[in-house]
Amino acid sequence: MIKTAYTPPHKYLENAVFRERYIKPNISWRASYLSGKRGISRVFRIPFASLMKKFFLKSYFEKRVLQGKVDLPYLELVLTTKCTMRCESCNNLMQYFEPQKQYASTLQGLKESLEALFKRVDSVQRLRIIGGEPLLFKELPELVEYLEQQDKIYTFSLVSNGTIDFSDDLLKALKHSSKFRKVTISDYSLSPNLKIKREQESILRNLKLYKIPFSLDSSGENAKWTDPGKIYKRNRSKEKIIENFHFCKMPCVSLMSAEGIRNEEGKLKENAHALAPKGAIFVCPVASSLSRLKGLEEFEGDFINLEDGKQRFFDFYAQDFFKACDYCHDWSKPRKQIPIAIQSDTIFKLEP
């Protein structure tokens, strides 16, 4: 558990990084929430949400900070690093996980992590369920029902790669959830070496049948990815690591439970949970994956131990130095465009 000197709440509001990472996205996500779900009522709610965003929400969230209230603007809940695909340029580093070292949570483990979180935060504006491929998580319908019951979660969504059809239980759970926003299907049907169009069509047909909101995340006929490059420790100076963070500023803060931390032989590590017994929150999915590939000890100071106090959440959003940022490419330079979702049988290795 990190122990830091007390910081008066108003100091966070004077921190430009905190305002960019915490205040602004809270305003945007709350306005999105106030706009409501799809449907005719949304037409009437959008003007109200716009007025709130322009005149009220900024002062509202600033006041909440001064009161010590913690409102997470966005949180990705990582269910597993297992995936039905092995994209050689996966931005979440799934291509680096060997089969015996995969992270796989359980419903009980996720509940323990989320309940520890809810003791320390006052709201989560939006939660997004991700993987790997989250539909490989067998208890997904039960997780959806659990999230629906949590007062501190305003909305949640789900992203899938479109290779696994949704079970009837999952479709029913999503249909009956008042907090569920939408399913995002990543459209990889244009990948040069993937044939998933039939599976994708079946998924979309079932979502329409159950009237579940969804979007097909596609870049059109010339779909391209940005090459993430190789992932390795670059040994930059602290100043250069901070500079790289400022060029990136990925907003996808992610949570992993304390389950499945393994050693080189694939066995559970002794004292693996010592730094985060209930799980941890990381600055991005790359950082959460690196924590499993390299170990939590490598990134101490980067993450929120879910047993940390409330101030640690504010400190996390105010900091701009993360050790994980030394592993990524230089975000100040343009990146090469590559075809989407090229598959590989190779398990990538982190360079020393």
Side-chain angles (χ1 to χ4, degrees):
M1 185 179 296
I2 292 180
K3 294 183 179 180
T4 56
Y6 172 72
T7 301
H10 71 273
K11 288 293 184 182
Y12 295 110
L13 299 179
E14 297 169 6
N15 183 298
V17 174
F18 183 83
R19 298 195 72 86
E20 186 73 22
R21 294 183 63 211
Y22 184 91
I23 297 294
K24 287 184 179 180
N26 257 317
I27 292 170
S28 295
W29 284 119
R30 182 62 66 89
S32 176
Y33 168 73
L34 293 172
S35 295
K37 289 189 174 184
R38 291 172 173 78
I40 190 64
S41 64
R42 186 175 173 85
V43 174
F44 300 100
R45 297 183 70 175
I46 285 177
F48 170 72
S50 298
L51 288 171
M52 294 288 283
K53 184 175 182 179
K54 186 173 183 179
F55 297 111
F56 177 71
L57 290 178
K58 177 174 175 289
S59 60
Y60 171 77
F61 283 110
E62 288 176 345
K63 184 177 180 180
R64 300 267 297 173
V65 171
L66 295 176
Q67 294 172 338
K69 305 287 187 183
V70 178
D71 302 295
L72 299 190
Y74 176 83
L75 182 66
E76 292 192 336
L77 184 62
V78 186
L79 305 191
T80 181
T81 55
K82 295 178 181 179
C83 191
T84 52
M85 298 163 59
R86 186 166 286 277
C87 303
E88 65 180 20
S89 298
C90 175
N91 278 298
N92 289 4
L93 311 190
M94 301 302 105
Q95 69 275 38
Y96 287 89
F97 282 89
E98 297 178 23
Q100 72 273 23
K101 298 180 187 177
Q102 296 279 11
Y103 162 69
S105 61
T106 65
L107 181 61
Q108 184 58 37
L110 290 172
K111 284 182 177 181
E112 288 179 4
S113 292
L114 289 169
E115 284 162 14
L117 176 69
F118 297 148
K119 288 179 181 178
R120 289 155 180 83
V121 306
D122 296 277
S123 73
V124 178
Q125 306 299 308
R126 188 171 185 180
L127 182 144
R128 194 182 200 198
I129 302 168
I130 69 167
E133 171 48 52
L135 266 71
L136 289 172
F137 184 75
K138 301 302 183 185
E139 297 171 293
L140 190 50
E142 291 84 357
L143 177 62
V144 169
E145 292 169 356
Y146 171 79
L147 295 175
E148 171 68 16
Q149 296 167 4
Q150 305 312 306
D151 293 338
K152 292 187 177 181
I153 296 176
Y154 281 28
T155 65
F156 64 96
S157 60
L158 168 69
V159 63
S160 173
N161 63 24
T163 61
I164 302 178
D165 221 334
F166 287 46
S167 69
D168 287 342
D169 286 345
L170 179 56
L171 289 166
K172 290 174 183 176
L174 295 175
K175 179 180 176 61
H176 294 139
S177 171
S178 63
K179 294 184 179 182
F180 184 73
R181 194 69 174 265
K182 71 172 182 176
V183 176
T184 299
I185 303 292
S186 301
D187 185 6
Y188 297 144
S189 62
L190 296 175
S191 172
N193 61 345
L194 268 177
K195 292 181 173 61
I196 59 172
K197 194 168 185 63
R198 183 178 298 176
E199 291 88 346
Q200 187 182 96
E201 288 174 349
S202 175
I203 291 168
L204 299 183
R205 186 166 55 249
N206 283 330
L207 291 174
K208 290 175 183 176
L209 179 65
Y210 279 81
K211 298 182 180 179
I212 296 169
F214 70 89
S215 65
L216 192 60
D217 188 1
S218 172
S219 303
E221 293 183 2
N222 298 315
K224 296 287 185 182
W225 275 359
T226 300
D227 187 1
K230 292 183 178 179
I231 302 295
Y232 62 94
K233 187 174 175 65
R234 288 161 164 81
N235 295 309
R236 300 182 179 107
S237 67
K238 182 175 181 179
E239 291 72 24
K240 286 295 183 181
I241 293 173
I242 292 172
E243 183 180 289
N244 207 36
F245 170 80
H246 280 279
F247 275 109
C248 172
K249 285 186 181 174
M250 185 186 287
C252 303
V253 171
S254 65
L255 183 154
M256 277 187 169
S257 70
E259 297 163 294
I261 303 175
R262 299 180 183 276
N263 60 20
E264 293 298 320
E265 290 75 39
K267 297 179 180 179
L268 287 173
K269 291 176 68 174
E270 188 177 354
N271 299 322
H273 312 320
L275 291 175
K278 296 293 185 181
I281 292 177
F282 302 87
V283 67
C284 67
V286 172
S288 60
S289 290
L290 281 171
S291 78
R292 294 309 170 117
L293 293 164
K294 298 286 290 183
L296 287 174
E297 298 83 358
E298 179 81 8
F299 303 101
E300 191 169 4
D302 273 20
F303 56 84
I304 301 173
N305 169 0
L306 289 175
E307 292 188 319
D308 286 338
K310 280 195 169 188
Q311 182 178 316
R312 174 58 187 141
F313 286 84
F314 289 149
D315 289 341
F316 176 80
Y317 280 94
Q319 76 183 71
D320 56 4
F321 172 69
F322 295 91
K323 298 170 186 175
C325 296
D326 191 31
Y327 285 77
C328 282
H329 60 257
D330 186 344
W331 280 98
S332 68
K333 297 178 180 178
R335 307 302 303 169
K336 180 174 69 175
Q337 296 293 295
I338 57 174
I340 65 169
I342 296 297
Q343 299 298 289
S344 173
D345 294 330
T346 302
I347 297 173
F348 286 48
K349 301 289 185 183
L350 288 174
E351 296 183 12

